[in-house]
């Protein structure tokens, strides 16, 4: 039985030792309904299209209209998977993001209200570049170990913006991933094996006064791979596992070729047959990311969803390794193990339909949408209705209004 070897041993506050499986019970993503084609963007920027489609591994890029901000995207990612019972049981909402809309108020408070979650709940926002949702997951596991009947909603939501005509423009994107964490999860158990590593570097950052990220592109690529090497080496030492123990790996994908570079760094450790098998799984893990672009905190989990939805040969009991990287920087390597019946919990058809039903923007229209801004002087702006369940409806007196 997989369950037996995965069960957490947790000593609660009265000293009783309990065993339980904790992990992902449901997961779902949202991306706005408009995108720009990467070949068209390349032509407009006088770049070989193959640089974007092969060199970076991106075919489409999601664009966030002004009506979709990180709050509305977070709510849009979560609502399709939540039942009334879930909303009652959730007593903790964690939103991981590096696109915060307020320096003080957590986006999770808006999301809590929009989703109609039990009022006796905690709501916080976490930040460490693209890593925050991972620490959100680990925090959720600890919370449930202490409060086994509760459920935690972890949402990663971001809009990746580098600016028009910048070298980072080709790695923008927008979207959110929602994960419901509980005991006896129906998708995957989160194993207690995480190895994290922190170092103070400037590879990618966004000062408070800037709407665009600052980035040292080449350095960020190098650090992503260097942190992978560090956490993987330590992980092997602590767990005695090898690459052969994993059925698949999911990587943080700022652009999908980055994960391929990470995978190629590890592959020489296994034989040719296993290399081919892991590469095939990697291809499944980047299908959605190629069409969405970078969604920062959610990118690793979008890749996990892509893997689960698109891979043909994953089975209960398979262990998947995850590499989380947040610039600045924190890296973490950990694993999850799929449980019996996980396929029944996937929203693969709705994910596919969401991507297929999007509208392609011309590069000129993308540029116009990209440059739209909310007033910053307290004046009122009423936005027109979009087609999503939740949207930003406007701003007034420096407050955001949602619908
Ligand atoms: N056909 C095929 N491939 C081509 C090509 C062509 N005609 N022309 C170029 N390429 C390839 C290049 O060889 C290169 O591939 P390799 O890296 O495998 O050598 C690839 O296309 C990209 O080319 P460049 O490095 O010249 O591209 P660039 O100067 O435009 O920079 C980038 C690319 C550094 C990713 C830049 O878009 C950027 O700064 N992005 C933001 C930062 C980022 O995403 N960093 C990732 C790690 S940090 C992180 O993960 C956190 C996060 O989310 C930001």
């Amino acid at each position: 039985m997989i369950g037996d070897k995965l069960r957490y041993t947790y000593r609660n506050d009265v000293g009783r030792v309990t065993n339980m499986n904790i992990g992902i019970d449901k997961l779902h993503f949202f991306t706005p309904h408009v995108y720009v084609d990467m070949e068209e963007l390349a032509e407009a920027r006088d770049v070989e299209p193959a640089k974007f489609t092969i060199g970076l591994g991106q075919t489409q890029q999601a664009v966030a209209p002004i009506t979709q901000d990180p709050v509305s995207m977070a709510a849009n990612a979560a609502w399709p998977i939540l039942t009334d019972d879930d909303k009652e049981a959730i007593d903790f909402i964690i939103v991981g993001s590096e696109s915060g809309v307020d320096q003080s108020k957590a986006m999770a408070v808006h999301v809590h209200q929009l989703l109609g979650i039990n009022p006796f709940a905690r709501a916080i926002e976490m930040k460490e570049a693209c890593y925050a949702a991972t620490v959100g997951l680990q925090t959720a596991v600890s919370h449930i170990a202490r409060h086994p009947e509760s459920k935690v909603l972890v949402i990663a939501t971001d809009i990746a913006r580098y600016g028009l005509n910048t070298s980072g423009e080709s790695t923008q994107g927008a979207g959110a991933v929602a994960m419901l964490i509980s005991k006896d999860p129906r998708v995957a158990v989160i194993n207690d094996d995480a190895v994290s590593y922190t170092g103070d570097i400037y590879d990618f950052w966004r000062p408070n006064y800037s709407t665009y990220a600052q980035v040292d592109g080449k350095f960020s690529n190098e650090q992503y791979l260097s942190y992978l090497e560090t956490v993987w080496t330590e992980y092997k030492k602590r767990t005695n596992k090898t690459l052969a123990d994993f059925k698949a790996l999911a990587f943080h994908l700022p652009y999908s070729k980055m994960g391929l570079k990470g995978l190629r760094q590890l592959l020489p450790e296994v034989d040719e047959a296993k290399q081919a098998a892991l590469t095939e799984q990697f291809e499944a893990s980047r299908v959605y990311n190629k069409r969405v672009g970078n969604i920062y905190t959610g990118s690793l989990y979008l890749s996990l969803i892509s893997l689960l939805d698109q891979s043909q040969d994953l089975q209960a009991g398979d262990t998947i390794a995850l590499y989380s990287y947040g610039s600045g920087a924190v890296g973490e390597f950990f694993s999850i193990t799929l449980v019996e019946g996980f396929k029944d919990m996937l929203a693969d058809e709705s994910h596919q339909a969401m991507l297929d039903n999007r509208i392609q923007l011309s590069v000129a229209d993308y540029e116009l949408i990209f440059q739209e801004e909310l007033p910053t002087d307290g004046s009122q702006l009423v936005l027109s209705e979009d087609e999503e369940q939740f949207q930003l409806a406007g701003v007034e007196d420096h407050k955001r209004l949602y619908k």
Side-chain angles (χ1 to χ4, degrees):
M1 278 291 289
I2 350 162
D4 292 341
K5 59 174 193 272
L6 297 173
R7 274 173 201 284
Y8 278 78
T9 301
Y10 173 74
R11 187 176 295 276
N12 68 15
D13 39 3
V14 288
R16 195 159 44 89
V17 173
T18 55
N19 291 313
M20 74 178 96
N21 282 331
I22 304 171
I24 303 169
D25 190 53
K26 299 179 188 175
L27 72 177
H28 191 260
F29 83 89
F30 170 82
T31 191
H33 72 285
V34 284
Y35 71 94
V36 66
D37 178 83
M38 293 303 282
E39 292 194 355
E40 288 192 6
L41 183 64
E43 278 156 21
R45 300 293 179 254
D46 210 12
V47 166
E48 271 285 302
K51 174 175 172 183
F52 290 176
T53 56
I54 298 167
L56 298 177
Q58 293 303 127
T59 56
Q60 297 171 347
Q61 182 175 109
V63 177
I66 197 160
T67 49
Q68 288 301 317
D69 74 356
V71 170
S72 63
M73 292 197 304
N76 282 322
W79 77 268
I81 55 170
L82 299 182
T83 63
D84 288 345
D85 286 348
D86 292 333
K87 292 178 192 176
E88 202 46 49
I90 292 169
D91 62 2
F92 197 177
I93 303 183
I94 300 171
V95 171
S97 181
E98 52 185 302
S99 318
V101 298
D102 193 288
Q103 286 285 2
S104 175
K105 182 169 177 159
M107 293 195 284
V109 173
H110 289 296
V111 174
H112 172 270
Q113 157 71 17
L114 290 171
L115 295 174
I117 303 293
N118 155 37
F120 292 98
R122 290 172 171 158
I124 57 160
E125 188 172 319
M126 287 185 172
K127 177 179 71 183
E128 172 23 46
C130 306
Y131 168 68
T134 299
V135 84
L137 280 190
Q138 303 291 3
T139 305
V141 171
S142 305
H143 178 79
I144 291 161
R146 195 163 190 188
H147 305 281
E149 298 313 316
S150 77
K151 296 183 182 183
V152 183
L153 182 60
V154 178
I155 307 178
T157 183
D158 273 304
I159 301 175
R161 284 168 72 86
Y162 294 90
L164 303 176
N165 280 297
T166 61
S167 70
E169 184 184 29
S170 49
T171 62
Q172 296 179 149
V177 174
M179 293 173 279
L180 187 65
I181 311 303
S182 72
K183 74 169 182 183
D184 299 328
R186 289 171 289 175
V187 175
V189 170
I190 298 171
N191 298 319
D192 190 11
D193 59 357
V195 173
S196 353
Y197 183 82
T198 297
D200 188 0
I201 57 169
Y202 271 107
D203 59 331
F204 166 103
W205 66 104
R206 183 163 69 82
N208 285 342
Y209 49 80
S210 174
T211 49
Y212 298 136
Q214 301 289 317
V215 63
D216 186 341
K218 301 278 175 246
F219 182 56
S220 71
N221 287 350
E222 285 162 20
Q223 292 305 306
Y224 174 110
L225 295 174
S226 159
Y227 275 58
L228 171 61
E229 168 72 18
T230 303
V231 288
W232 169 236
T233 303
E234 184 66 18
Y235 181 90
K236 284 188 288 187
K237 216 190 299 170
R238 291 189 196 176
T239 63
N240 287 323
K241 284 189 181 161
T242 71
L243 202 58
D245 290 312
F246 303 112
K247 181 69 184 237
L249 290 95
F251 292 86
H252 166 54
L253 296 181
Y255 55 95
S256 82
K257 172 85 168 289
M258 188 74 243
L260 185 59
K261 288 178 191 224
L263 179 70
R264 285 179 177 159
Q265 184 169 292
L266 307 184
L267 283 181
E269 299 181 22
V270 285
D271 64 26
E272 272 183 27
K274 186 68 183 174
Q275 290 190 17
L278 289 173
T279 303
E280 196 180 321
Q281 299 296 338
F282 175 76
E283 289 304 328
S285 81
R286 65 168 168 166
V287 172
Y288 293 163
N289 302 67
K290 279 182 179 182
R291 298 182 64 184
V292 171
N294 195 358
I295 56 168
Y296 291 157
T297 44
S299 288
L300 166 61
Y301 300 99
L302 178 62
S303 176
L304 175 64
I305 291 176
S306 183
L307 174 69
L308 297 176
D309 285 1
Q310 300 290 326
S311 172
Q312 297 308 313
D313 46 13
L314 291 175
Q315 288 172 357
D318 286 343
T319 296
I320 298 169
L322 286 89
Y323 173 55
S324 183
Y325 177 77
S327 289
V330 182
E332 185 161 316
F333 197 96
F334 68 108
S335 74
I336 61 171
T337 300
L338 299 173
V339 300
E340 216 65 61
F342 76 92
K343 284 199 173 93
D344 300 335
M345 300 304 293
L346 303 179
D348 44 346
E349 284 175 13
S350 101
H351 290 145
Q352 196 65 52
M354 180 170 38
L355 289 172
D356 293 346
N357 294 336
R358 293 180 305 168
I359 296 164
Q360 184 182 332
L361 296 170
S362 65
V363 173
D365 284 345
Y366 143 70
E367 290 179 349
L368 285 176
I369 290 176
F370 191 87
Q371 291 173 93
E372 280 188 298
E373 282 178 3
L374 297 172
T376 55
D377 60 359
S379 59
Q380 188 194 37
L381 173 71
V382 178
L383 296 170
S384 53
E385 215 171 288
D386 76 11
E387 49 282 282
E388 311 298 355
Q389 180 78 7
F390 298 103
Q391 70 163 96
L392 181 66
V395 289
E396 194 177 351
D397 293 337
H398 299 285
K399 295 173 190 157
R400 285 181 186 237
L401 308 169
Y402 293 95
K403 189 171 76 59

